[in-house]
Amino acid sequence: MTTDGADFERRGSAPVIAPVGPRKLAKVPFVELADGRLQGVVSSGSDIERVYVSSITAGDHGLSCNTNNNRPCGGLSGGSWACNHLRALADAAVAQYGLARVARYLKADLADGGDDLWSGLHTTTAPNRAAEVFASFLRHLSYLEVAPATDPLPELQWFPAAGAVR
Amino acid sequence: MLADALNSTPDGFAEALTLVDGLDDALVQGLARIDEDRATVLESFAAAFGGSPLADRIADTIGKIIAGTVTDEHLVVLAGARAALLGAAHDALRVSLDAALGRSRAAWSDSPVVSDNGHLLAGGRSWLRELAIAGWRGVDHELAGGAAQAVQSLLAAPGTRRLAVLLDGFAAELKATAPVATLPRIPVRRWADLWTRALLLSQDGYPHFEATPIDGRLVLLGVDLHEHPTVFQAQAHGLLETPDGTVRLVRTSVAAAKVDTISGPSAWRMLSAFPIFRGVVAEHRTVEVSGMGLTPAGDLIWDESRAAAGEPADPFAAARVRLGSATALPAAPLDRHPGALAEPVLLEGYGHAENAFDLGGGVSVALDLDRLPAAGPLTPALVGSSTACLGLLRWDGRWLLQPLAVQAVVRKKPVAAHTGDWALGPTEAKAAKAEAAAGTAVDVLRERAGRLLRK
């Protein structure tokens, strides 16, 4: 991970998180790899007030999809065959984080050079996590309401702005 | 000369960093599992402090940790000792660099005001203790996410923003890499740096230094951009000329919270509360400053109501005339760390080597091309064809030059590019188009927030 100079292990500015890829947010406003799940929020195609809260657990590949009012998604309906919301969620995650990082996080069993995340998932059903995931989305949105700051933040020397993918 | 400073290592420097590495390695497996080899390394760490004011406390702490007791008191001693070693390493590097640049630096003389955020700090401290006990290899999804609540309350209070921003950036890395046990390579120094700084900032009574109101004219040299998933900061380095004729090298910063999907040029949109800052940066204008606070560490606390845009001023011309004789300010005592060095310099008349500038006489300085942000127009190709470069000298295992602006010749025409040129939006057609598309992310999320947050 380094060329000349200090080893990755001994560098204060060793890069840990790859820059996220740009993607459109209208359909899937929120994706994260957190709490052992790929989870996020998918806008409803028909109702602007409604969103679907979808998740896939790492390891077990348990699927869950519900509305923000906690109604089960008709497309998934408790099964283990992914609905369109889960597919949109996974596509957004791959666009944002890259396939390798998503596959590693979910412990997906991808063949070398395989480019279909779903082919590496052995999906099962998982308990409803809508409340937690939705709370996480609201926390995410709340960053946009945090007041700007002008006091010194000396630790940001450790966090250079993301470089371009050139 | 600069070349001498870049080529030499201060006395005792390598030994100090070896001690730091020993402590850092113990944090990989965690303080709950100190095997015999690590115990020996930690004992030599303690021995190195023999004769210092910290000697007894460190010897006692290391003994207790090896015996299996890890308390908050022990951790703050470890963090303090590590910070002391790196502070000394910082001083040695800085002295040799200042001498090489002929840069005069004011001495530190201020005494601190003690901050009082006690009730907010316990949550962060307990997470940091769990991390130290488990070690990086023991970080699973649950532990990685364990700071969320502490960050929320720290972010909401004005006095603890600094700790909140640090903990959030650190936690994001642990969350992205959990379970860390399966990670092929661990950023050992980096995570120990972040852990140490966070632990010190989580102590009651962390020293704080008051800013003094000052009038003058600020001439910008360049802008450095910082980012992690939930923050974006633009930090300008500049020369502050005060009515008494003094010219000081200062920094001034504006930062905003954001989310990870807002990155690249559109991150500037998050700084919409600072139109004057963005304007002077994009247009290379001076700033008339009236009554803005300046800290003893050289941070001018930006305040839009105390700033007015002045005349256009070329940063290269300003650096050629004034940078050499400007007075630099010292780092605050607990901020001293080699990673905090970011010394503005102007280089000209160099040759080009691979990812380096050849300064002549067999000396070259490596380029920190990882610090060319997507939010600005500088590219490795521009730097590679440059004839003059304004940049920051940094140290990360070796000296590195981070370009902030270059003058170059492209297709036989002179061009200049500065990191902050896109502060009001990209000035290049292709980048502007991409920014317009990506920039809607901010609008989409604001719409979602408006609809869902207040229900």
Side-chain angles (χ1 to χ4, degrees), chain B residues 12-29:
Chain B
F13 187 86
E15 291 82 349
L17 287 199
T18 301
L19 291 170
V20 169
D21 289 345
L23 177 58
D24 294 357
D25 289 343
L27 286 171
V28 174
Q29 297 298 335

Side-chain angles (χ1 to χ4, degrees), chain A residues 37-39 53-57 62-65 86 89 129 133:
Chain A
R37 293 185 289 271
L38 162 59
Q39 56 191 27
V53 184
S54 315
S55 62
I56 307 170
T57 60
L63 308 181
S64 162
C65 187
L86 281 162
L89 176 76
R129 296 289 183 194
V133 179

Side-chain angles (χ1 to χ4, degrees), chain A residues 73-99:
Chain A
C73 162
L76 181 67
S77 64
S80 59
W81 185 253
C83 58
N84 287 337
H85 307 117
L86 281 162
R87 290 190 179 273
L89 176 76
D91 289 348
V94 169
Q96 183 165 324
Y97 298 117
L99 179 63

Side-chain angles (χ1 to χ4, degrees), chain A residues 9 12-13 48 143 155, chain B residues 162 168 185 190 197 396 448:
Chain A
E9 283 76 8
S13 60
I48 195 160
Y143 279 103
E155 290 70 35
Chain B
R162 181 176 165 190
D168 218 15
R185 302 189 75 171
R190 174 177 177 80
R197 190 59 72 89
D396 193 9
R448 291 281 94 181

Side-chain angles (χ1 to χ4, degrees), chain B residues 57-187:
Chain B
R57 292 187 70 181
I58 292 175
D60 180 54
T61 294
I62 297 284
K64 293 273 173 45
I65 286 175
I66 291 172
T69 315
V70 182
T71 66
D72 280 1
E73 285 77 352
H74 297 147
L75 294 179
V76 74
V77 171
L78 275 194
R82 188 180 185 278
L85 284 169
L86 287 160
H90 160 278
D91 295 352
L93 291 171
R94 174 151 262 172
V95 164
S96 87
L97 189 61
D98 279 349
L101 294 170
R103 188 157 287 173
S104 64
R105 190 171 298 274
W108 186 267
S109 58
D110 286 70
S111 42
V113 183
V114 167
S115 54
D116 176 23
N117 300 303
H119 61 291
L120 288 167
L121 303 173
R125 266 199 318 261
S126 91
W127 182 64
L128 294 165
R129 182 180 61 238
E130 285 176 48
L131 286 178
I133 290 171
W136 311 132
R137 289 246 176 249
V139 173
D140 57 11
H141 294 304
E142 197 190 340
L143 181 49
Q149 230 175 1
V151 168
Q152 292 306 302
S153 52
L154 292 167
L155 209 49
T160 49
R161 182 70 166 267
R162 181 176 165 190
L163 175 60
V165 167
L166 170 58
L167 285 177
D168 218 15
F170 185 20
E173 296 190 358
L174 295 175
K175 280 192 276 189
T177 51
V180 179
T182 65
L183 196 66
R185 302 189 75 171
I186 293 181

Side-chain angles (χ1 to χ4, degrees), chain B residues 297-391:
Chain B
D299 286 297
L300 192 61
I301 312 296
W302 184 262
D303 180 344
E304 291 268 316
S305 72
R306 298 180 181 283
E311 298 294 307
D314 173 25
F316 283 94
R320 280 180 196 118
V321 179
R322 315 298 293 272
L323 179 56
S325 56
T327 301
L329 295 169
L334 288 175
D335 292 347
R336 292 152 48 251
H337 186 296
L341 293 170
E343 208 51 39
V345 290
L346 171 68
L347 296 182
E348 297 180 275
Y350 44 80
H352 291 275
E354 198 185 344
N355 293 336
F357 287 161
D358 181 351
L359 305 181
V363 176
S364 61
V365 58
L367 294 169
D368 195 347
L369 298 176
D370 290 346
R371 285 190 190 246
L372 294 185
L378 258 65
T379 60
L382 265 176
V383 175
S385 60
S386 66
T387 52
C389 178
L390 267 168

Side-chain angles (χ1 to χ4, degrees), chain A residues 126-166:
Chain A
N128 176 2
R129 296 289 183 194
E132 288 155 76
V133 179
F134 195 65
S136 186
F137 177 48
L138 293 184
R139 199 161 56 229
H140 182 80
L141 289 180
S142 70
Y143 279 103
L144 301 180
E145 317 240 309
V146 174
T150 53
D151 277 341
L153 300 167
E155 290 70 35
L156 288 183
Q157 301 304 324
W158 273 259
F159 296 93
V165 183
R166 295 184 211 270

